[in-house]
């Protein structure tokens, strides 16, 4: 049978695609205008005030998880690294800014030579996070760090939301393969990023060829209802597909009458038929009936794939059904009701002067309405209990307690402007599986609840 139709790689030891970073095979254009105008006007004002060169520390974090979620998933880090590398103000971009009179000539001259030369630390991609976790820390001059705010948040908020939904779905699937099928339900470029994030969260394959081309994600797909409707009879459609794709293909059996289609499918392909796909109806009931029918026809190895607007709850409800794989589209690429992770990018420390040796001073927004933040350059560690299961996310400033030294979470991603932590996407996917497995079992419950572990704050002597 053709296991690729089920969302399974045909060859676990397949040759790796040519890779740069997490596997992209095409270039990334300038990301300099993936930003908000006020980033540039702040830059202009800081340059004029003489504060633009002050050493600064920005952190990405979220104040809360989406309602009912138990953990978040860090996704998009590899794309952030690409975005930082390609944040360049080329001639046409500078021309646009000049034409619109967005910033003055002195600022345009500064932008023409922009290259990020600072450091970036962060949770490794695929790791889980909680409210207050310093998911990413960007350090350098105020001028070079502030410009990256929008593009970093754009990537991390989108990809982390999709990966969190994917993680919940993969947990609900309990090891059954998941196929990402959401390209037609979102923006064409967002679809590629969503496919990548879904793979991080535990999906096995994608229907999106651009995602396969760019990131090396295994791709699958056979036919839709249109192919059946094209032919004079369902039998002719099945025969044409089997003649072209082989007996191991997946036949779509719910265009007309499911029972009749299953019978015809086995008659055409024989018991070697790879799989049947069901895209409508009461999936629990239909799956049981189809399994019984396939077995009675001798197609005991033929698998059943279900689609039809699934989410994690629908997948969990099918746990007892004889389903072998799930195809998920709309609910996945929209974050299953939570399309953003609500991350923010805040200045948490800055130097007292442009002097490179000037000490850092903690800074923080103080306001009502739940938008306060904690100042100071932070570290993070996940404290395990006696059984090795996570019991708290500890976030602090100053020295790291000795007991937590071996449990720190942040790793260096960029050093002196150079990316130092690119890795294959499969490594990111494996990391997420391990990180989720290290949480309390209640993390994968779909019932509403608070974050599965609390966040504790430890303030060092200087608070910086």
């Amino acid at each position: 049978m053709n296991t690729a139709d089920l969302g399974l790689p045909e060859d676990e030891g397949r040759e790796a695609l040519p890779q740069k970073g997490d596997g992209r095979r095409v270039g990334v254009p300038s990301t300099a205008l993936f930003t908000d105008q006020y980033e540039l006007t702040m830059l202009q004002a800081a340059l004029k005030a003489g504060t633009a060169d002050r050493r600064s520390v920005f952190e990405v974090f979220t104040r809360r998880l989406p309602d009912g979620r138990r953990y978040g998933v860090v996704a998009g880090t590899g794309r952030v690294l690409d975005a930082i590398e390609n944040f360049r103000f080329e001639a046409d971009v500078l021309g646009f800014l000049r034409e619109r009179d967005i910033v003055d000539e002195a600022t345009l001259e500064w932008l023409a030579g922009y290259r990020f030369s600072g450091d970036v630390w962060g949770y490794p991609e695929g790791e889980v996070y909680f409210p207050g976790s310093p998911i990413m820390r960007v350090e350098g001059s105020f001028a070079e760090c502030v410009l990256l705010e929008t593009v970093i948040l754009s990537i991390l908020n989108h990809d982390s939301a999709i990966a969190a939904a994917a993680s919940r779905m993969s947990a609900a699937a309990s090891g059954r393969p998941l196929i990402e099928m959401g390209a037609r339900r979102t923006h064409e470029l967002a679809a590629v990023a969503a496919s990548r994030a879904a793979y991080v969260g535990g999906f096995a394959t994608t229907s999106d060829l651009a995602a396969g081309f760019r990131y090396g994600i295994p791709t699958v797909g056979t036919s839709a209802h249109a192919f059946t409707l094209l032919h004079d009879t369902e039998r002719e459609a099945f025969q044409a597909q089997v003649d072209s794709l082989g007996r191991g293909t997946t036949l779509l059996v719910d265009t007309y009458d499911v029972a009749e289609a299953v019978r015809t499918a086995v008659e055409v392909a024989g018991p070697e038929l790879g799989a049947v796909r069901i895209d409508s109806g009461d999936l629990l009931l239909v799956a049981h009936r189809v399994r019984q029918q396939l077995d009675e026809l001798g197609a005991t190895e033929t698998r059943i794939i279900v689609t039809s607007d699934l989410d994690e709850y629908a997948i969990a409800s099918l746990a007892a059904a004889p389903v072998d794989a799930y195809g998920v589209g709309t609910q996945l690429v929209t974050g299953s009701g939570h399309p953003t992770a609500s991350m923010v990018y805040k200045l948490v420390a800055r130097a007292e002067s442009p002097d490179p040796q000037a000490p850092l001073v903690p800074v923080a927004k103080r306001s009502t309405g739940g938008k306060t933040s904690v100042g100071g350059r932070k570290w993070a560690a996940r404290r395990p209990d006696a059984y090795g299961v996570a019991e708290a996310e500890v976030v602090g400033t100053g020295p790291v307690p000795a007991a937590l030294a071996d449990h720190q979470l942040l790793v260096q991603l960029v050093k002196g402007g150079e990316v130092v932590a690119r890795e294959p996407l499969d490594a990111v996917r494996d990391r997420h599986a391990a990180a989720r497995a290290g949480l309390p079992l209640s993390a994968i419950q779909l019932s509403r609840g608070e974050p599965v572990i609390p966040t504790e704050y430890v303030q060092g002597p200087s608070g910086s």
Side-chain angles (χ1 to χ4, degrees), residues 51-286:
T51 53
D53 289 334
R54 287 189 176 186
R55 187 162 59 102
S56 299
V57 179
F58 286 82
E59 288 177 353
V60 177
F61 62 94
T62 185
R63 296 183 176 94
R64 63 190 64 84
L65 297 179
D67 191 30
R69 297 286 170 91
R70 304 296 183 91
Y71 62 92
V73 181
V74 179
T77 307
R79 298 206 307 121
V80 167
L81 298 180
D82 288 343
I84 292 174
E85 259 192 348
N86 290 281
F87 205 91
R88 305 281 187 268
F89 290 85
E90 298 164 348
D92 55 344
V93 172
L94 294 170
F96 165 78
L97 298 175
R98 181 177 289 109
E99 177 187 335
R100 297 292 181 93
D101 195 27
I102 291 173
V103 290
D104 60 22
E105 284 298 323
T107 305
L108 289 173
E109 183 177 348
W110 189 93
L111 291 173
Y114 179 86
R115 299 291 186 273
F116 180 73
S117 63
D119 298 333
V120 179
W121 292 73
Y123 280 37
E125 189 167 16
E127 184 57 84
V128 297
Y129 70 86
F130 300 91
S133 296
I135 297 160
M136 186 169 287
R137 191 174 73 219
V138 182
E139 305 182 30
S141 71
F142 175 85
E144 63 181 348
C145 293
V146 74
L147 294 182
L148 299 175
E149 175 181 5
T150 303
V151 70
I152 288 177
L153 288 179
S154 176
I155 294 171
L156 292 181
N157 268 314
H158 174 268
D159 289 22
S160 296
I162 306 304
S167 179
R168 284 163 61 86
M169 292 174 188
S170 66
S174 300
R176 295 171 178 175
L178 290 159
I179 309 165
E180 186 278 310
M181 304 171 64
R184 64 190 62 194
R185 298 292 187 243
T186 188
H187 185 279
E188 66 272 18
L189 298 182
V192 182
S195 178
R196 181 187 182 280
Y199 192 68
V200 170
F203 274 59
T205 54
T206 179
S207 66
D208 192 295
L209 291 177
F213 179 77
R214 182 181 289 264
Y215 297 117
I217 300 169
T219 58
V220 295
T222 51
S223 68
H225 294 102
F227 186 77
T228 300
L229 296 170
L230 170 68
H231 294 81
D232 293 336
T233 66
E234 195 167 45
R235 180 180 294 273
E236 290 179 10
F238 289 173
Q239 189 65 62
Q241 184 174 325
V242 170
D243 288 346
S244 175
L245 302 178
R247 296 177 185 273
T249 191
T250 300
L251 295 176
L252 181 58
V253 295
D254 72 332
T255 305
Y256 305 118
D257 179 84
V258 173
E260 182 60 31
V262 170
R263 185 178 302 108
T264 302
V266 176
E267 289 175 358
V268 170
E272 298 83 15
L273 174 62
V276 295
R277 178 163 74 95
I278 307 166
D279 189 53
S280 57
D282 183 337
L283 297 178
L284 179 62
L285 175 63
V286 175

Side-chain angles (χ1 to χ4, degrees), residues 8-26:
L8 299 170
E10 288 186 299
D11 180 6
E12 293 293 343
R14 66 186 184 280
E15 182 178 356
L17 294 171
Q19 292 187 350
K20 179 180 181 183
D22 58 14
R24 65 186 173 89
R25 299 176 61 184
V26 294

